[in-house]
Amino acid sequence: MMKKADERFSWLIENCVRIGLFVLFGTFIVYSSHLVAPIIPFSDLPLAWKLSAKDLLIREGLQPGWGFLHELGYSDVLCLLGPIILALTIIVAYAGMIPVLFEKGKRRYVFIIIIQLMILLAALSGRIGMAG
Amino acid sequence: MMKKHLFWMIFLSACIAPLFGAEPLSAPSVHMGFPWWGYSALLLVFSFILGIVAVMSGVGGAVLFVPLVTTFFPFHVDYVRGASLLVALAAALSSSPRFIRQGFASLPLVLPMACLSSVFAVIGAMTGLMLPQDAVRIALGIAILFICAVMILFSKNEAPAMSDGDGLSQYLRMNGVIHDEKQDQPINWRARNTLLGLLLFACVGFMAGMFGMGAGWANVPVFNLVLGIPLKVAVACSMLLIAVSDTAAAWVYLNKGAVLAPIAIPSIIGVMLGSKVGVRLFAKAAPRTIRLFVIFLLILAGLSSLLKGLKIL
């Protein structure tokens, strides 16, 4: 009954994960072999990872949320691309399922998926809880 | 054969890559005699072993990751939780397609549960990042000891009796059929207690987001015992649920800067590779002994977290 939607969903997850893990591994090689400079110097790491995320952002003068896009030239920020692709996987897979479910007349599931996408996009936007 | 070589190439290159760019051991880059890359390499090996143990004991890697890494490594709990969520997410995403194709993971069952669970995972993640480190340690210690109790007390039900379901489960067609290989016959299932299930998944989502854990330890009993889902379907649906709710929480951690490359990336690579080895060793292992060892480790880590939070340790 959901066969085609299941297949589309699985295919999208599989391929996004493949790309995500490839990018994750590749960017970490770039980072750890010092080919590109990081935004947090290696010499500061033993101190940096003892600070809370909030304190570290203040100390390094970084913006929370999508501000990191301006810092992609640094190897440690570049390393975030792998986790970001992994965190986008479900969003892509859910969105890819909508046309199939709509075509099959499964509107009740389309409705739930749209609500789920709204929740995930709200989390992705970085606007949730920014005051904290 | 090619795959086997590729596996070891990835593992070895991840281990030795930092050595090519390693700085001299200048004072600021060294902590307790260890350079930064020493911690990353150690974390990679630690996560690799954790991945093996997690698969062989039937416990998710992330539930072990947070208490053990906060106990043995000098990292702030924010980055450990961020890395742990990504570890759980990567593992859940990797196994979900196979479970869906095999017919074990049911999207009509997971979709509504994941929707509510992810809302509370976001709330949990925000709460966790707002609390001071000691408060998180105390809550984590209590949560880990609670998880141990669930693991000891939860008795699995391979195939619960088929129920008529309730209004919501009938409307959303939360039912299915799987093939039981032992008895060579089909097992029909239909979800029951859907509203109670939704409520429990909201609580589980909150804990997963707050502590950066995969929450398979709670999802499986809720699917199996509360919703009356056969164990294999419960395990598969739990992985899919983790993939969705951890995605929501992972965005909060990413946006708040709680993902540090030298901590998160070796952890993901280590656990992913370790779980592949664990699957191969699974047939030869004694899962009950390993599970008991894991529970013992969790009790120690939970107590350590609790006592550190209370400033007794």
Side-chain angles (χ1 to χ4, degrees):
Chain A
M1 203 160 50
M2 296 270 290
K3 203 111 188 129
K4 203 175 164 193
D6 283 354
E7 190 46 50
R8 169 78 62 92
F9 186 65
S10 308
W11 185 87
L12 285 169
I13 291 180
E14 253 171 10
N15 286 290
C16 284
V17 170
R18 256 181 222 148
I19 297 168
L21 291 177
F22 179 76
V23 171
L24 186 119
F25 183 70
T27 51
F28 189 65
I29 294 286
V30 171
Y31 171 73
S32 53
S33 55
H34 296 212
L35 288 173
V36 179
I39 205 161
I40 302 170
F42 291 108
S43 56
D44 288 356
L45 274 175
L47 180 72
W49 60 39
K50 284 184 176 173
L51 298 174
S52 70
K54 193 178 173 185
D55 291 343
L56 184 60
L57 287 179
I58 294 168
R59 183 176 178 265
E60 297 294 331
L62 297 169
Q63 291 297 313
W66 286 84
F68 77 89
L69 282 178
H70 302 291
E71 320 286 351
L72 278 177
Y74 295 100
S75 61
D76 44 357
V77 182
L78 195 67
C79 276
L80 294 179
L81 284 181
I84 284 170
I85 294 171
L86 291 178
L88 279 172
T89 299
I90 283 291
I91 296 173
V92 172
Y94 266 177
M97 234 184 355
I98 292 177
V100 182
L101 290 172
F102 207 79
E103 197 181 289
K104 297 263 174 194
K106 311 272 181 202
R107 303 228 166 118
R108 62 193 78 174
Y109 300 126
V110 173
F111 177 69
I112 298 173
I113 288 175
I114 289 173
I115 293 175
Q116 179 71 74
L117 281 174
M118 285 164 66
I119 296 162
L120 294 176
L121 291 173
L124 173 154
S125 72
R127 292 185 180 277
I128 294 179
M130 272 303 145
Chain B
M1 197 66 181
M2 182 68 192
K3 259 187 168 178
K4 195 178 172 186
H5 287 152
L6 187 68
F7 172 87
W8 287 110
M9 272 165 61
I10 291 174
F11 186 71
L12 286 173
S13 46
C15 281
I16 62 169
L19 300 177
F20 288 108
E23 301 157 324
L25 299 183
S26 56
S29 68
V30 176
H31 171 82
M32 290 172 67
F34 249 71
W36 76 268
W37 52 265
Y39 277 108
S40 284
L42 203 63
L43 196 58
L44 181 79
V45 175
F46 181 82
S47 307
F48 179 73
I49 297 167
L50 208 63
I52 298 174
V53 173
V55 169
M56 289 168 74
S57 62
V59 178
V63 75
L64 291 166
F65 187 89
V66 180
L68 295 180
V69 174
T70 47
T71 302
F72 297 116
F73 287 83
F75 314 134
H76 191 281
V77 72
D78 283 358
Y79 311 113
V80 179
R81 287 179 297 166
S84 172
L85 261 180
L86 291 169
V87 163
L89 179 63
L93 285 171
S94 301
S95 60
S96 290
R98 198 178 46 190
F99 283 141
I100 294 169
R101 289 205 178 100
Q102 287 172 338
F104 290 124
S106 160
L107 277 169
L109 176 61
V110 173
L111 286 175
M113 305 296 164
C115 212
L116 197 65
S117 181
S118 57
V119 171
F120 280 86
V122 169
I123 297 170
M126 282 159 47
T127 311
L129 286 169
M130 274 191 277
L131 290 173
Q133 180 161 248
D134 285 338
V136 175
R137 279 185 192 278
I138 294 169
L140 178 67
I142 294 168
I144 294 294
L145 294 175
F146 173 71
I147 291 167
C148 291
V150 172
M151 286 170 68
I152 293 165
L153 298 174
F154 165 51
S155 55
K156 298 165 194 168
N157 191 347
E158 290 280 346
M162 170 86 166
S163 74
D164 291 338
D166 51 43
L168 192 57
S169 73
Q170 282 174 5
Y171 176 71
L172 291 172
R173 294 182 188 146
M174 293 175 171
N175 54 45
V177 56
I178 56 162
H179 189 78
D180 182 7
E181 285 177 7
K182 271 185 199 164
Q183 295 174 12
D184 196 25
Q185 62 179 26
I187 298 175
N188 286 293
W189 60 266
R190 180 175 292 130
R192 58 181 185 231
N193 306 323
T194 317
L195 283 176
L196 177 62
L198 281 166
L199 189 71
L200 290 170
F201 281 122
C203 302
V204 175
F206 182 84
M207 283 180 75
M210 183 161 176
F211 301 120
M213 294 189 291
W217 56 271
N219 289 340
V220 176
V222 174
F223 272 125
N224 187 227
L225 299 179
V226 179
L227 278 90
I229 308 298
L231 191 61
K232 280 185 182 171
V233 179
V235 171
C237 288
S238 164
M239 291 307 266
L240 190 52
L241 186 66
I242 289 169
V244 182
S245 57
D246 280 10
T247 292
W251 279 113
V252 177
Y253 281 84
L254 278 163
N255 281 319
K256 295 266 192 180
V259 177
L260 267 189
I263 300 173
I265 315 290
S267 308
I268 300 170
I269 296 173
V271 170
M272 295 290 285
L273 296 179
S275 56
K276 283 192 183 298
V277 173
V279 169
R280 288 179 185 203
L281 295 175
F282 188 70
K284 298 168 196 167
R288 196 179 141 71
T289 315
I290 297 165
R291 193 178 165 84
L292 286 174
F293 172 67
V294 166
I295 290 173
F296 174 71
L297 265 185
L298 277 175
I299 291 172
L300 284 185
L303 284 173
S304 151
S305 184
L306 188 64
L307 296 175
K308 272 186 182 171
L310 293 169
K311 303 232 181 269
I312 297 171
L313 255 186

